[in-house]
Amino acid sequence: MADPKQEQRDAFRAEDPASGPLTTDQGVVVDHTDDSLQAGERGPTLMEDFHFREKITRFDHERIPERVVHARGAGAYGYFEPYASCAEFTRAAFLQDPSVRTPVFVRFSTVQGPRGSADTVRDVRGFATKFYTTEGNYDLVGNNFPVFFIQDGIKFPDFVHAVKPEPHNEIPTGASAHDTLWDFVSLQPETLHTIMWLMSDRAIPRSYRTMQGFGVHTFRFVDAAGKGTFVKFHWRPLLGVHSLVWDEAQETQGRDPDFNRRDLWDCIEAGNYPEYELGVQLVPEEDEHSFDFDLLDATKIIPEERVPVRPIGKMVLNRNPDNFFAETEQIAFHTANVVPGIDFTNDPLLQARNFSYLDTQLLRLGGPNFSQIPVNRPVAPVRTNQRDGFHQNQIHRGTSYSPNSLGGGCPALADPDSPAFRHLTERVDGQKIRRRSPSFDDHYTQPAMFWHSMSAWEQKHIVDAFRFELGKVGARAVRERTVEQLARVDHELAVAVAQGVGVAEPRRQETPRPTPSPALSLENNKGDGSISTRQVAVLVSDGVDAGHARAVRDALTEGGAIVEFIAPRDGEVRAADGALAVDRALPTVASVLYDAVVLPGNGLGAGDPVSDDLARRFVRGAYRHGKPIGALGASVAELAALLPDSVRTAGADGAPAVDQGVVTADAVSDDFLRAVAESIGAHRHWERTPLSG
Ligand code: HDD
């Protein structure tokens, strides 16, 4: 199917480097680029060397300011198609016809760290989508949490200054575990709901392909008759929602700082296209005040049990960018990029964003013509009276004012009956006032709802996360004040945190007891048990049972998993029935880079102490992080020696044993392979020994 955005990109591709020799920016061919022009072999460099000066000047100017937040990101192109017409609620052209694919570019990001920071930090993830619609660009600039830290955008600089590294020494990079953030949190209880999300495993997604996305604010759909409906946007990954555990996330920061970026890139290259369903929660205008919170308050969710999420379409990411800087770095999102049929609400956070994004692009991209950069160009025709400015790439002709007669009155204004963006007519009446609405006052009920909606292991991980973060805070008063705030959410939570960070247990007080929202728990967002795109390490070494190894690989690959043979050294391992090609050498990988590990008999038996130690660490790591493990034949005893006695492994009677995600058997069989796949499909096995933070 033709993709108008891809066709448009073709026109902007740089000259094919294979089409001729090296030139200067002016197209002058050069035959020497390794030595500057000098007065004599050992003499000074000459000003006349235009090639040298151009090359160095261009290099000196390669960097642009990184994004003040969300600097670290990765992006991809793809498409969106609606399941059915949404005309009942919105006249947005891209939501009308299931046969029409709208091109998209999505950029995922972390928030706190700079461009070069690690991927698997504890942080919110940005999930920003640019839809190149036939009616202009629509940007849904969301996050992987449905709520935000503050209610009014005027607090954004305060919040960001608090979460960014400490001002005197710029420590820590990509981390929220430091004094200034928690000082702010302890004094600003509106942060608490999002802080609960930040302390949960949602803040360390396994992959950009396995996290949800949310528009956060309440927006408006507007139908053809001009009628508005409140709408909250949700992206749901079709693979299910999967996260890491904190110990693993920290190790991954060192083993592969590009963990999420690489995963996105590799999966798209391999044709394993990430897919997300777009869902909406719709609230009729007349029900605006029927909730016990304010729809304009971005620190609140509408529980899905109260207003179900209605799936309206699917997005597929199927193409990596050609050039990171040109596309992923230069893409410019803006919450005010809306199309007819989508409109704003008076959410004060959204209103502030509608100012901030345009402003930031002017600085970041060096002037007002950034929408002419290929990745930002709409596929819809652009006819404006905007002119000139830095980096003007277009040659406009004719007049540039309206009304005009000398330009034939062009571009003409859309006539009243034809499509155009028309702001929703909304009655606004009030005193000019600098005060938050009392309807924004409750900061504790929804954090409590989140807490009471978690499974036991999720609650454990949240407590561990609070203990880790506050444990890194030097100011004792900040620890104490934060615990006091938590005591207003839930007493047990506050006591558990207090015990971990060495402050006095808070006195019991009245806390909210909201109805839990099961949809918030990762337990209820696991997906369908598929093993598609799970990374499985099969540890092999000389003497391996190659029949077992191949059977495991074939069966898991059949189910969609990505299986790699890992051996002490690269190349091949010798097996009784021939050689087995190795995918990666053990010293170059670690269990944190895989979702599961299988030992196909003689897996650990390399014989030399270094390799044996690496292999044992691999298996122990996988166990500690709750990952599925399979073992066959001689490896069962080797595995059993590494695991706690409480894990039941197969005896000599032949039947596979399945216990706490550990699957063992004497020999490979369909039952064994099925049990391994089921164990991988379940993602993690928290019934094992409790993890420490
Ligand atoms: Fe923001 C970037 C998401 C509140 C000001 N924001 C940015 C990006 C995402 C979000 C995903 C990265 C876009 C990209 O990949 O280029 N921001 C959010 C969400 C918010 C939010 C979901 C709350 C619901 N942001 C927010 C506020 C302000 C900003 C309240 C300012 C008043 N955000 C910015 C910014 C950034 C940005 C400074 C930095 C770079 C950029 O815009 O292009 O303007």
Side-chain angles (χ1 to χ4, degrees):
M1 196 179 281
D3 181 324
K5 189 63 195 171
Q6 297 310 321
E7 286 166 9
Q8 187 191 54
R9 279 172 85 214
D10 289 340
F12 291 95
R13 290 225 157 72
E15 192 76 28
D16 179 357
S19 65
L22 186 72
T23 73
T24 66
D25 275 349
Q26 306 305 318
V28 174
V29 172
V30 292
D31 65 352
H32 201 134
T33 193
D34 293 344
D35 299 288
S36 46
L37 189 68
Q38 295 165 187
E41 270 172 17
R42 301 181 61 251
T45 304
L46 297 175
M47 277 291 279
E48 184 186 320
D49 188 352
F50 59 86
H51 177 47
F52 159 81
R53 278 189 287 119
E54 181 191 82
K55 190 171 169 184
I56 298 297
T57 307
R58 288 300 310 265
F59 170 74
D60 291 343
H61 292 255
E62 276 177 9
R63 292 290 168 273
I64 62 171
E66 65 174 31
R67 289 166 174 82
V68 56
V69 283
H70 296 265
R72 167 100 187 151
Y77 288 99
Y79 64 85
F80 172 82
E81 54 194 12
Y83 293 145
S85 171
C86 299
E88 195 188 338
F89 306 106
T90 174
R91 47 152 309 212
F94 77 105
L95 295 176
Q96 303 303 321
D97 183 349
S99 71
V100 173
R101 283 186 173 178
T102 297
V104 298
F105 188 95
V106 175
R107 183 172 178 274
F108 302 107
S109 48
T110 55
V111 178
Q112 198 261 18
R115 261 188 71 177
S117 51
D119 279 347
T120 59
V121 294
R122 179 176 296 284
D123 200 351
V124 184
R125 299 299 184 283
F127 190 140
T129 309
K130 191 180 282 292
F131 298 81
Y132 303 96
T133 88
T134 54
E135 292 183 320
N137 287 352
Y138 168 52
D139 292 356
L140 181 54
V141 196
N143 280 340
N144 73 329
F145 297 180
V147 284
F148 200 65
F149 297 94
I150 46 167
Q151 296 171 320
D152 187 321
I154 197 170
K155 295 299 298 166
F156 193 65
D158 299 295
F159 165 68
V160 174
H161 289 172
V163 72
K164 282 276 183 179
E166 304 268 325
H168 56 302
N169 55 13
E170 217 188 31
I171 297 174
T173 299
S176 48
H178 60 111
D179 285 47
T180 51
L181 173 73
W182 289 96
D183 185 28
F184 183 80
V185 167
S186 68
L187 297 168
Q188 191 84 46
E190 72 198 54
T191 56
L192 282 175
H193 191 189
T194 310
I195 285 292
M196 294 297 294
W197 282 77
L198 189 67
M199 294 303 106
S200 79
D201 291 355
R202 299 275 191 153
I204 35 174
R206 159 66 182 87
S207 158
Y208 292 136
R209 302 176 296 116
T210 62
M211 66 181 201
Q212 277 174 293
F214 302 91
V216 182
H217 310 281
T218 305
F219 292 91
R220 271 196 175 94
F221 270 162
V222 184
D223 71 10
K227 183 173 174 303
T229 304
F230 292 113
V231 57
K232 291 249 188 205
F233 293 105
H234 295 240
W235 289 114
R236 190 180 64 84
L238 295 195
L239 289 176
V241 185
H242 300 298
S243 287
L244 305 174
V245 64
W246 184 226
D247 178 69
E248 174 193 18
Q250 290 179 87
E251 190 187 331
T252 310
Q253 289 172 30
R255 296 276 184 191
D256 186 3
D258 305 305
F259 187 65
N260 292 145
R261 177 184 281 192
R262 188 188 307 283
D263 168 85
L264 181 69
W265 181 276
D266 286 352
C267 280
I268 292 177
E269 287 301 293
N272 293 320
Y273 300 140
E275 296 183 335
Y276 308 82
E277 189 163 70
L278 182 64
V280 288
Q281 285 177 296
L282 298 171
V283 178
E285 294 262 339
E286 49 278 19
D287 293 348
E288 178 174 5
H289 300 293
S290 62
F291 300 89
D292 51 9
F293 54 88
D294 199 318
L295 284 184
L296 304 186
D297 176 356
T299 68
K300 306 294 187 295
I301 60 163
I302 309 177
E304 288 182 32
E305 294 74 12
R306 173 94 189 264
V307 178
V309 178
R310 177 196 292 234
I312 61 167
K314 194 172 89 168
M315 177 168 76
V316 179
L317 300 180
N318 60 2
R319 192 188 291 256
N320 281 316
D322 287 351
N323 185 286
F324 184 90
F325 178 83
E327 302 177 278
T328 311
E329 190 60 17
Q330 291 202 110
I331 192 156
F333 291 96
H334 185 12
T335 46
N337 287 350
V338 286
V339 288
I342 298 180
D343 212 326
F344 313 115
T345 58
N346 297 331
D347 172 347
L349 197 72
L350 175 60
Q351 298 277 325
R353 296 181 74 192
N354 285 345
F355 166 75
S356 184
Y357 287 72
L358 174 59
D359 186 40
T360 206
Q361 312 308 356
L362 293 174
L363 173 72
R364 196 169 71 79
L365 299 169
N369 289 308
F370 61 84
S371 60
Q372 293 179 19
I373 295 171
V375 71
N376 295 324
R377 273 182 186 244
V379 296
V382 176
R383 302 172 209 96
T384 77
N385 285 325
Q386 268 83 264
R387 290 291 184 274
D388 308 344
F390 282 114
H391 318 304
Q392 175 57 263
N393 268 274
Q394 290 185 322
I395 304 171
H396 293 95
R397 285 175 295 176
T399 57
S400 56
Y401 55 89
S402 176
N404 71 65
S405 67
L406 299 178
C410 299
L413 293 179
D415 56 54
D417 305 327
S418 60
F421 189 91
R422 296 188 178 86
H423 291 270
L424 184 90
T425 310
E426 184 185 9
R427 189 188 162 86
V428 178
D429 206 1
Q431 303 259 322
K432 195 191 291 177
I433 190 172
R434 217 184 250 290
R435 194 191 319 137
R436 199 87 44 99
S437 164
S439 55
F440 282 44
D441 277 355
D442 175 6
H443 304 314
Y444 301 101
T445 304
Q446 289 219 346
M449 176 177 71
F450 185 78
W451 172 249
H452 291 295
S453 305
M454 296 292 105
S455 61
W457 64 265
E458 288 171 295
Q459 289 193 339
K460 168 87 175 68
H461 290 186
I462 289 171
V463 170
D464 287 346
F466 272 114
R467 287 177 168 186
F468 178 93
E469 298 267 315
L470 286 178
K472 296 259 187 184
V473 167
R476 197 175 171 77
V478 170
R479 294 188 187 194
E480 288 166 353
R481 236 182 4 244
T482 307
V483 167
E484 287 303 324
Q485 286 295 344
L486 292 181
R488 301 182 66 172
V489 175
D490 183 74
H491 184 71
E492 272 70 41
L493 165 65
V495 168
V497 175
Q499 286 169 349
V501 301
V503 302
E505 291 180 16
R507 73 182 162 75
R508 188 180 283 278
Q509 56 182 298
E510 192 81 12
T511 48
R513 276 275 154 192
T515 314
S517 167
L520 296 175
S521 168
L522 287 173
E523 274 295 324
N524 301 320
N525 287 284
K526 282 180 165 178
D528 59 4
S530 139
I531 63 167
S532 175
T533 74
R534 301 293 170 85
Q535 309 268 345
V536 183
V538 178
L539 299 193
V540 296
S541 58
D542 287 343
V544 67
D545 187 324
H548 283 174
R550 289 198 192 93
V552 168
R553 182 190 56 197
D554 294 349
L556 296 182
T557 308
E558 174 86 359
I562 299 160
V563 181
E564 288 184 345
F565 288 149
I566 315 289
R569 279 168 298 283
D570 229 326
E572 290 180 344
V573 292
R574 284 187 299 278
D577 53 347
L580 208 59
V582 173
D583 294 302
R584 291 185 204 275
L586 195 49
T588 68
V589 293
S591 72
V592 291
L593 308 180
Y594 294 88
D595 295 298
V597 55
V598 180
L599 312 172
N602 281 353
L604 297 180
D608 79 274
V610 176
S611 304
D612 286 358
D613 184 49
L614 283 177
R616 286 195 197 100
R617 270 170 56 186
F618 200 110
V619 174
R620 283 204 192 96
Y623 180 79
R624 215 150 50 88
H625 299 142
K627 293 179 182 175
I629 301 177
L632 285 163
S635 291
V636 176
E638 291 173 317
L639 175 65
L642 297 175
L643 304 186
D645 293 342
S646 60
V647 182
R648 193 170 50 82
T649 51
D653 59 0
V658 184
D659 190 24
Q660 303 170 46
V662 178
V663 185
T664 47
D666 259 5
V668 73
S669 66
D670 286 349
D671 281 351
F672 172 83
L673 295 170
R674 201 174 310 114
V676 170
E678 273 168 20
S679 178
I680 298 173
H683 187 56
R684 297 294 170 96
H685 298 273
W686 304 120
E687 64 274 30
R688 291 180 193 162
T689 327
L691 288 157
S692 69

